[in-house]
Every structure is written in C-alpha cells, then in structure tokens.
Amino acid sequence: MRRSLIAAVAVTALATPFAVVATAGSAAAAPVAASKPVTDFNHDGYADLAVSAYRGAVNGKAGAGYVSIVYGSASGADTAHAKQINRTTAGVPGDPEEGGAFGASTEAADLDGDGYTDLTVNNGPKNVVIWGSANGLTQGSELPDQYTTGLKAGDFNGDGKTDLVVNSQDTLKVNYGPFTRDGKPASTSSVANGDDGPRELMVGDVTGDGADDLVTSHDFEEMQYSSRLWKGGKDGLAKTSTPTKKFTTNGVIADVDKDGYGDLVAREVDEVSEMQVYDAGAVRVVYGSASGFSTRTAKITQDTAGVPGVGEPGDPDLNDRGDQFGYSLSAGDVTGDGYPDIAVGVPGEDIDSAGDTGAVVLLKGGANGLSGTGAQAFNQSTAAVPGVSESGDNFGTEVKLSDVNKDGLADLTVGVPLEDGTTKDSGAAWLFRGSKTGLTTANITSFSPSSLGTPEAGARFGGELS
C-alpha cells in the first residue's frame, strides 16, 4: 500500500541563496549576472548543509522539530561533527512546542554581510535567524515579520547586500539588507497580495542586470494560475508583476545555457491544483532575456530523449499517485563545465513492484540549454547506492546541489523524510559526489538521525535542505 507524499515545504530553495548564473554573456547584451555565494556557516570554503527533521522530538515534545548542521570538508559531509539546533539551543529564541515543526522551512544567506552564512528558520509567530561565525551557527535573533508563509534571499537592488523577500497572508514584503544583529533590515517595501497569491518564491537574475528578480507561483482553492515575474533593479523589487503565462511551481532560476540571463526551471502543472499528485510530471524551462522571460521555452519529461525511465501518471480513482517528475528541483554545476545542471526529484517513481519508492534524475545544462542529453537517474536499487527501494520511501522528495568537498563540482544531497530506520518515517539523506562526467556512486555518504545521534522516531529527517 502506498503512502502519501509529505506536504511540499519550501522545496523551491536553491543550494545557494542567489541564482546560479554565469558572470558573462554575449558582448552585445553585456549582462551582469548576480553573484553566487556559497552556503558556508563557518566560512572555511566548504559548502555546509542544514538538514531539517521538523517532526523530531525535543525534550520529549513530539514534533517540536530540529535542524542538523552537517559541515562540508575535504572528504565530503563531516557527519562526525554534525550539530543539532533546536529551540533549546543556547542563543536560539523561544521554547520547543509539541508540533512546533522547527525547521520545516529554512533559508541560508549572509544577512549581516560579515562573510558567514546565516540560517533563517521560518517558524512560529516570528522567523528566527541563527548567525554564522568561525565556530559555525551560534546566537540567534527574531526577525520582525510575523506569521509568514515563506521567505527567500536575494539581492533585489543589486547593491551587493542580502535582502529577504517575505510572503505573509496579505503582503509580499522585501526587507533590504544589511541586517543588524537584532534582526532589523536597513529598509523595507511591500505590495499587497491578491487572493491567489504567492505560494512559492523563486529568486534569480533573469534580466542579467546584476539585481535578482522574483518569480512567484499562484493558486487559489483547487485552481492553479500563471506564475509571475517581479523585476529587481537599482530601486529594488518592482511592485507590479508580469505573468509568465505558464502554470509552474517549485522552481529554481539558473542560467542553464550560460548566456548571462537566468532561466526559470520549474515543475509544469495544469490548472487543477488538487490533481498534481497524480501527474507523471514535467519540467518547464522558460529562458531569460534582458527584458524578462523570452518566448523560448522547453518541456522535459521522462519520455524526453535521453532521460531515463518512463513517465507514469497515477489513477485518482485508486488513489495511485503519479511519478511527479519535477516535484523538487535544484541547480548547480556538477560537471565543472560552467553550465548549471538541474537535479530533479521523482518521489513517486515505482521501482519493480514497489510503489512510490522514488528516484532522482540529473539533467545537464549546455550551450543549447537544458535537455535530456546525458541525463542520469539514481534510486535505492541502483548499484552501490546504500539502502533498499521500499514502497512509500519517496526517494527524491528533496534535492540540493552544493559543492560540499570544494573540488569545484556540485554534489547532490537527497532528502528522504519517509525513509524508515529503526522507526517509521525517521528519514535519511544521501550525498552523491559530482564528477566531470556527472554524478557518481563512488564514495556515497548516507546519514540519518540514528547515525547522527539525534531523535529518530517519526523525525522526517531530510524534509527540508538548505
């Protein structure tokens, strides 16, 4: 019997807080792409991981939630020195609450401009930022916005300072950096939300002007609506938007053809939101230009030439969920050729006779954009991948590309919150190494609450990655 996929909690986040975009384009266009910082909490040059277990117990309070910080090193993920952060951690405001889900949504970015990446946890009445330092994440502060449903970091006015765009029930607000250590931004601006708006936030430099832009997905009740582009610029994020005319969600912005303009790579859906769980899945690429999104697009599915597997829809009458190719997405240069590649989560993929075991696919960027050429697929039944494919694992619920061992090649972390350890739904994560030819099964690292010595029962470790 298949288990349901967990709710999508901030699956749109990039491996780094800004777009993965090239620093040069054509001489005629002369785009100036936004920078690509590394998520590095202790500023040692290795990308670090924040892996949430948002249903883990803290001080006996079920579902209070915690985040495991796994630092990067020359040998990869340094699981021997992982650190747990929760509401009882010294310097973190607040107290653990039963069902509090601390860590269900996180964002990594250097908010105060000191060179150390900070971690923002979207949780409770107020968001909490935990500040980076030479010793990693330490003291925390509350941010001023209350009851937000999502946030994303970027540089929307191109001044080199990190900003936070915050989505609340009725307002889309930009907090411009740098932030002070008591969580206050330098300035703010806001625009009222409509009934349909925004659900997911996607950040990157679409126009190549050196300022990040924002793409938002929209739905209301059971209906999906066109995603929208909000342009950044020297005066900050615009207060009006342009429809992309595409029904997309859960995306990233990355310059997959290296022309200096960020491209939207997102899950394509139809107009009925409640039917998405039965989709075979598709990834839509909308290419950027100096004026915004161009008319050039591409659609990639498991039936696209070069992509392993077959796209399989589900059956609503049998509550049989589809593959959901594109459920999670992340961008990073795995092969070191300068073109961002895209990791695609396929959590509903069936392996042999088991249902919803899950898989991940790597799509490679190139001069002609994103395609199925050279695509790779992995699951727990792939040779040399630790574990066993089991019904309801949903391998690929979360994916994150980042260079954990600082070899210039992005590595893939796969979050699998419904993996069973010694208890049900304790969760686990896998780290695949990047190579010149793509992802490799050599030296794969897998870790879980059990191996890290953190609370295991129903923790859903890997349900959010930053």
Side-chain angles (χ1 to χ4, degrees), residues 100-446:
F102 183 83
S105 176
T106 59
E107 178 74 345
D110 181 8
L111 298 185
D112 59 354
D114 65 354
Y116 298 95
T117 304
D118 313 306
L119 183 70
T120 301
V121 181
N122 180 11
N123 177 254
K126 288 190 176 183
N127 300 311
V128 172
V129 57
I130 307 165
W131 304 101
S133 72
N135 295 318
L137 294 174
T138 53
Q139 296 293 316
S141 305
E142 288 186 333
L143 295 175
D145 301 295
Q146 295 194 49
Y147 298 105
T148 60
T149 57
L151 53 83
K152 196 68 65 178
D155 180 7
F156 301 108
N157 56 9
D159 66 353
K161 310 297 184 183
T162 301
D163 313 315
L164 277 180
V165 58
V166 179
N167 187 29
S168 66
Q169 294 176 343
D170 56 4
T171 304
L172 188 64
K173 179 180 179 182
V174 183
N175 294 315
Y176 291 96
F179 289 71
T180 61
R181 277 298 180 103
D182 58 0
K184 294 180 179 179
S187 63
T188 65
S189 69
S190 61
V191 61
N193 286 341
D195 289 338
D196 64 345
R199 301 299 178 231
E200 285 91 17
L201 310 175
M202 295 151 265
V203 172
D205 187 3
V206 174
T207 61
D209 63 353
D212 282 317
D213 308 301
L214 173 70
V215 176
T216 53
S217 68
H218 296 259
D219 62 76
F220 183 62
E221 294 181 344
E222 77 280 3
M223 300 304 294
Q224 190 80 34
Y225 298 97
S226 169
S227 53
R228 302 174 190 170
L229 171 66
W230 310 72
K231 293 182 182 179
K234 63 182 180 60
D235 296 322
L237 197 67
K239 295 191 176 183
T240 58
S241 63
T242 304
T244 67
K245 300 181 180 179
K246 302 295 180 185
F247 299 114
T248 54
T249 185
N250 298 358
V252 295
I253 298 174
D255 185 9
V256 294
D257 58 357
K258 207 168 63 168
D259 65 352
Y261 303 106
D263 311 309
L264 174 65
V265 184
R267 180 183 179 184
E268 182 176 87
V269 296
D270 59 25
E271 293 183 68
V272 183
S273 303
E274 62 188 3
M275 300 302 290
Q276 292 174 12
V277 294
Y278 306 110
D279 289 347
V283 171
R284 171 66 66 181
V285 186
V286 185
Y287 289 90
S289 74
S291 59
F293 287 122
S294 69
T295 57
R296 178 188 171 206
T297 70
K299 181 179 179 179
I300 301 175
T301 72
Q302 285 186 283
D303 298 317
T304 298
V307 179
V310 177
E312 298 172 313
D315 186 340
D317 293 334
L318 301 176
N319 197 28
D320 175 21
R321 298 173 184 269
D323 287 347
Q324 299 188 75
F325 180 83
Y327 181 88
S328 56
L329 295 161
S330 184
D333 185 4
V334 173
T335 62
D337 63 357
Y339 294 95
D341 307 305
I342 303 294
V344 182
V346 197
E349 180 82 354
D350 297 343
I351 306 297
D352 299 325
S353 60
D356 294 346
T357 55
V360 293
V361 171
L362 182 71
L363 302 175
K364 295 178 180 178
N368 296 320
L370 198 67
S371 72
T373 302
Q376 298 174 280
F378 302 89
N379 57 65
Q380 288 190 75
S381 294
T382 302
V385 176
V388 178
S389 293
E390 299 173 311
S391 292
D393 279 350
N394 300 140
F395 188 85
T397 297
E398 277 282 300
V399 293
K400 192 67 61 180
L401 287 169
S402 58
D403 185 8
V404 175
N405 60 354
K406 203 172 64 172
D407 64 354
L409 310 172
D411 311 303
L412 173 62
T413 304
V414 182
V416 191
L418 296 184
E419 175 78 7
D420 294 340
T422 59
T423 64
K424 182 179 179 181
D425 296 345
S426 54
W430 280 252
L431 180 64
F432 292 75
R433 301 289 185 90
S435 76
K436 294 292 185 181
T437 58
L439 294 171
T440 175
T441 56
N443 300 314
I444 291 178
T445 303
S446 62

Side-chain angles (χ1 to χ4, degrees), residues 88-105:
T88 69
T89 302
V92 176
D95 299 306
E97 297 180 358
E98 187 167 342
F102 183 83
S105 176

